[in-house]
Amino acid sequence: MLILRVDPLRPDPEKIRAAAEAIRAGGLVAFPTETVYGLGADAFNGEASAKIFKVKGRPADNPLIVHVRGVDQAQEIGDIPAGVLEVMERVWPGPITFVVKKKANLPDVVTAGLPTVALRCPAHPTALKLIELSGTAIAAPSANKAGRPSPTRAEHVVEDLGEAVDVVLDAGPTFFGVESTIIDVTRGRPVLLRPGPFTAEEIKAIFGDVEIPAFARGLGEAEVALAPGMKYRHYAPDTPLLLAEDLGEAAAYLRSRGLRVAVLCALDKCADGDAVLRLGSEPYEVAKNLYDALRTVDRLGVDVAIGPVLEERGIGLAVMNRLRKAAGFRVAKDIKDLEKYASELARRVLR
Ligand code: TXA
Ligand code: MG
């Protein structure tokens, strides 16, 4: 594995060229985007794209996002209605991915055999330069082992995937820290499949309307046919995570049961714990630090981590979607819920 440090805003073309060579040769390149690091391969090379699934341990029925340098390249891959093209022109490059009907030229492995493809043009100079110099579109999921929090730093990629990657472009921490917004525009009314930095409010302002299914808020499992990847366990630390309406009450109660508790604090919600991780005092800061904190939790030697319930506005919708999934949808509303979870935990801890 070759790790190349680059300046995120002025990436050295020589280093990007080396990474682009690896893409062209059928290799795997981990690269930064404005959201999280991606694990990229030539989207038109079926064998190279298949390696992504193997290295990540990703189920074959979970399609990849195809990264393009702009609307022109998007049109070579997807069948894009005029109205959607106009929107793409306005919002790309940016952290929003569009699911559209695909053309016949992409290998089936990339889209997991679906008739649709997810297209994204990342707003990160390093990523854009890599796509340009590769001379192809780049299929790339987040560069983590399946089920783990997405990587927001090159170190996370190395931690999860190590030698399986040919080149890692290390541009430091990513800007947003949560994955791109995904909307499905194949069904008339746009459907939000995954909330992200491009907010639901912004989508509504553009399209006039957007359907937000319960799973996009992190309220339970997705309907498989609509969002194949959303059914899998996600973002989860190995340490059990529980969200609590009242962090102070939850921390005090769980500690009174003899459990060692890490508290994830965000905005004005915090409590005393055996360890305290501060995500930030501003919503975008919270998003940016979230995945690193979920990884850090496992190094603290605690029995349980608790996290806050935040307002689902702006980027807060994306943060709560990730937190709810990472917590296995467990939210303690009152002391009764806490008693129930503490008993479950005690059984697990004592076993
Ligand atoms: O910010 C991001 O989007 C990052 C960076 C690397 O670009 N990528 C990313 O990819 O998060 P990944 O594979 O971890 O998540 C992509 C999601 C998966 O849940 C997948 O099921 C869904 O997009 N997806 C891909 N193609 C789809 C399609 N044709 N229809 C519905 N969902 C699709
Ligand atoms: Mg992912």
Side-chain angles (χ1 to χ4, degrees), residues 76-100:
E76 290 166 17
I77 300 168
D79 208 343
I80 308 169
V84 176
L85 266 182
E86 248 169 64
V87 175
M88 283 177 170
E89 295 272 14
R90 272 166 66 190
V91 301
W92 275 359
I96 178 162
T97 299
F98 295 84
V99 172
V100 299

Side-chain angles (χ1 to χ4, degrees), residues 56 58 142 144 150:
K56 273 186 62 100
R58 184 182 182 101
S142 50
N144 51 286
S150 294

Side-chain angles (χ1 to χ4, degrees), residues 22-77:
I23 294 277
R24 272 207 293 268
L28 298 183
V29 173
F31 63 98
T33 77
E34 77 278 35
T35 57
V36 301
Y37 277 78
L39 179 64
D42 179 352
F44 290 99
N45 181 335
E47 250 171 69
S49 296
K51 271 198 281 183
I52 293 177
F53 289 84
K54 189 156 167 260
V55 165
K56 273 186 62 100
R58 184 182 182 101
D61 64 353
N62 192 0
L64 307 178
I65 293 179
V66 177
H67 295 67
V68 295
R69 64 172 179 260
V71 173
D72 53 336
Q73 197 176 25
Q75 278 181 283
E76 290 166 17
I77 300 168

